[in-house]
Amino acid sequence: MFITLEGIEGSGKSTLIKNINSYFLGLNKKIIITREPGATLIGQKIRDLLLSPESEISSKTELLLMLADREQHINKLIVPNLKLNNIVISDRYFDSTIAYQGGGRGLDTSMIKMLISSLQMPIPDLTFLIDIPVKVGLLRAKKRSHLDRFENEEIQFHERVKSSYYKIAKENSQRIKIINGEQTEEKLFEDVLKIINSNLKNGE
Ligand code: TYD
């Protein structure tokens, strides 16, 4: 089973992932937690380029670097683990590219979707979109650490990312589940777990 987590900055994906991981490890299920960008050796280098506030990167270069990172991620990690029947959970995946490079940067989303489908990127079984107001998310991100190149963007950029996420969720309502990110960590995890478990049952 392939699950992805999506959301704007500071939406609480990391805590949720930790909870999902401990739950499935407790059940002795093989679970692989991964993230984008930066899950492979090459990906780590690409991630440094992408997130460094010093990088001057054009929007199209940014798009292609995200796709290069993903291609490597798919080949080295996602597909091999799915073949072994492991549960793969990725913190961000192709919906991030549509929301950030499409919505945020304003690149043509049909071009991005076309690239994703031409590269035959596997489609997740389930995607959770953790929904919080932009201001709340940015405040959380600011408290956490130094701001990276994306977190440093103006508030309007993040608003565009958020609306783009809503749009993608509407277009893919079977796959993408919107989860309230302002509730307690426990409740958020409970909501997500219910959906994962019902999907696991249906897949049996
Ligand atoms: P990260 O520190 O992993 O952010 P977060 O904790 O919010 O997930 O940084 C990843 C950044 O890269 C994040 O700001 C979103 C951005 N991104 C894109 O713009 N496009 C993409 O396709 C992906 C995967 C990430």
Side-chain angles (χ1 to χ4, degrees):
M1 181 177 223
F2 181 28
I3 300 172
T4 58
L5 301 186
E6 295 285 355
I8 57 165
E9 313 302 319
S11 53
K13 291 181 282 100
S14 316
T15 319
L16 174 63
I17 283 195
K18 273 189 209 135
N19 286 333
I20 300 176
N21 192 24
S22 354
Y23 174 82
F24 282 104
L25 284 178
L27 293 181
N28 269 334
K29 286 221 193 265
K30 191 91 196 302
I31 175 165
I32 307 295
I33 302 287
T34 181
R35 68 161 180 187
E36 290 191 356
T40 61
L41 281 177
I42 287 186
Q44 270 167 29
K45 296 187 179 167
I46 299 177
R47 179 183 172 90
D48 291 343
L49 288 173
L50 280 164
L51 296 196
S52 163
E54 278 86 55
S55 292
E56 280 181 30
I57 301 182
S58 79
S59 300
K60 283 184 188 161
T61 304
E62 183 178 283
L63 165 69
L64 294 171
L65 285 174
M66 291 292 179
L67 294 177
D69 169 75
R70 182 159 311 125
E71 175 55 25
Q72 192 73 3
H73 189 200
I74 291 170
N75 256 293
K76 294 273 176 215
L77 211 141
I78 298 178
V79 166
N81 276 290
L82 290 176
K83 279 191 179 150
L84 292 171
N85 255 332
N86 294 332
I87 301 175
V88 177
I89 304 204
S90 183
D91 184 349
R92 299 194 179 281
Y93 190 61
F94 62 42
D95 298 308
S96 280
T97 315
I98 303 168
Y100 280 78
Q101 280 63 54
R105 300 285 186 222
L107 293 178
D108 179 7
T109 47
S110 55
M111 180 260 296
I112 299 176
K113 288 178 191 168
M114 198 266 291
L115 284 168
I116 292 169
S117 90
S118 315
L119 291 164
Q120 298 184 320
M121 298 187 152
I123 298 170
D125 299 295
L126 252 183
T127 297
F128 293 103
L129 173 57
I130 315 299
D131 187 31
I132 48 155
V134 170
K135 281 196 179 137
V136 176
L138 286 181
L139 214 67
R140 284 189 195 164
K142 274 185 192 143
K143 276 192 194 146
R144 211 165 41 196
S145 59
H146 290 300
L147 298 186
D148 64 37
R149 208 169 56 84
F150 290 95
E151 290 162 345
N152 260 323
E153 284 294 335
E154 53 183 10
I155 190 146
Q156 290 85 345
F157 172 87
H158 299 283
E159 293 286 3
R160 290 196 298 275
V161 171
K162 187 175 157 94
S163 348
S164 179
Y165 266 134
Y166 278 140
K167 188 157 181 274
I168 313 167
K170 237 188 184 171
E171 291 165 358
N172 298 273
S173 55
Q174 273 293 100
R175 171 175 67 88
I176 304 181
K177 313 291 177 197
I178 300 180
I179 305 288
N180 173 9
E182 284 194 288
Q183 52 190 343
T184 62
E185 283 168 16
E186 293 78 20
K187 185 73 182 56
L188 197 153
F189 172 55
E190 207 179 285
D191 283 3
V192 165
L193 195 59
K194 259 189 220 148
I195 301 175
I196 296 182
N197 278 333
S198 90
N199 261 264
L200 279 173
K201 260 192 217 128
N202 292 338
E204 270 168 10

